[in-house]
Amino acid sequence: ILSGGEGMDTEPQRKMMTVLFSDIRQFSILTDSLEPEEIFHLLDHYLSEMTRLVHHYEGTLNKIIGDGMLIFFGDPISMEDHAQRSVLMAVDMQKKTAELKKEWLHYGHELGIGIGINTGYMTVGNIGSDMHMDYTVIGNQVNVAARLGSEAKKGQILISQRTYSRVKDLVRVEEMGEIRVKGIHSPVMTYSVKSF
């Protein structure tokens, strides 16, 4: 955006995008047993590595909430392959997490993350006031990704039918069945990515 001299639209807009939620499983157990300085060190290194992957795939790191990350693809950088980039990045996130496990094991804990991904129409834009503006994404399809993220077990990537239809030639999956999400009338078919 900066190199192209483009600005970000201030008006919210509805776009087809892909959104990803990830967080560290059993992180509360870690916080109970380690000193704040140790947690800060481990989390800082983990988030630095994950952020590097977000930039590599040209995603937008929207929020870091504790150990959780909200990342979306398709705005402000427009791309047709947002679903593919999101899933490939998720696979690399799991691979990088496996590499970081050794460091975490020194502190007596095993690092593992769960990831949920969904593709669909959502609203993106700036929300807030002159004093504090938040560039974010909202909508039912964001809620689907959040639910998939909370359902995903350690080391798992759960994707929706909408995302799977765009990446089926890239990855192997296992059908996991349907889940219900508040605000979505029809159940959401989910798949677990198995190609890593």
Side-chain angles (χ1 to χ4, degrees):
I1 296 165
L2 293 173
S3 63
E6 300 169 8
M8 286 165 52
D9 285 336
T10 54
E11 290 298 315
Q13 54 182 324
R14 193 163 164 79
K15 292 181 74 172
M16 173 66 75
M17 298 167 59
T18 298
V19 64
L20 177 153
F21 280 84
S22 75
D23 64 26
I24 298 171
R25 292 295 171 253
Q26 297 182 317
F27 187 71
S28 58
I29 295 173
L30 181 77
T31 58
D32 288 343
S33 59
L34 295 182
E35 295 298 325
E37 294 83 0
E38 294 173 321
I39 296 165
F40 185 88
H41 167 74
L42 289 173
L43 204 51
D44 185 54
H45 187 199
Y46 163 78
L47 291 171
S48 295
E49 293 294 339
M50 295 301 117
T51 302
R52 193 171 286 117
L53 289 173
V54 175
H55 286 246
H56 174 74
Y57 285 97
E58 297 186 300
T60 299
L61 176 51
N62 184 217
K63 286 184 177 70
I64 296 174
I65 305 167
D67 62 304
M69 302 176 79
L70 165 55
I71 303 154
F72 56 79
F73 292 80
D75 195 84
I77 301 171
S78 293
M79 56 186 70
E80 291 296 317
D81 60 345
H82 45 84
Q84 292 91 330
R85 288 183 192 225
S86 180
V87 172
L88 291 174
M89 187 190 75
V91 170
D92 279 352
M93 288 173 76
Q94 291 290 11
K95 288 178 179 175
K96 179 54 71 175
T97 299
E99 291 175 20
L100 295 174
K101 268 185 186 177
K102 289 179 185 176
E103 182 185 10
W104 288 62
L105 285 171
H106 287 307
Y107 293 88
H109 293 274
E110 187 173 337
L111 173 62
I113 62 171
I115 299 174
I117 303 173
N118 183 41
T119 302
Y121 280 100
M122 46 200 84
T123 301
V124 62
N126 291 316
I127 296 173
S129 68
D130 293 340
M131 296 181 72
H132 179 80
M133 195 67 71
D134 188 20
Y135 172 66
T136 192
V137 63
I138 60 173
N140 285 337
Q141 299 306 321
V142 179
N143 297 339
V144 171
R147 174 69 191 279
L148 291 174
S150 66
E151 290 284 326
K153 296 179 175 61
K154 182 168 62 177
Q156 191 173 42
I157 301 168
L158 290 182
I159 64 175
S160 66
Q161 174 69 50
R162 288 171 178 240
T163 302
Y164 174 63
S165 67
R166 290 166 173 80
V167 301
K168 58 186 176 186
D169 296 330
L170 284 179
V171 291
R172 291 185 302 107
V173 300
E174 177 186 349
E175 190 174 302
M176 301 300 289
E178 297 178 334
I179 62 166
R180 292 209 165 267
V181 181
K182 188 177 180 181
I184 304 288
H185 298 297
S186 302
V188 178
M189 179 59 72
T190 64
Y191 302 85
S192 179
V193 176
K194 293 295 180 187
S195 62
F196 67 97

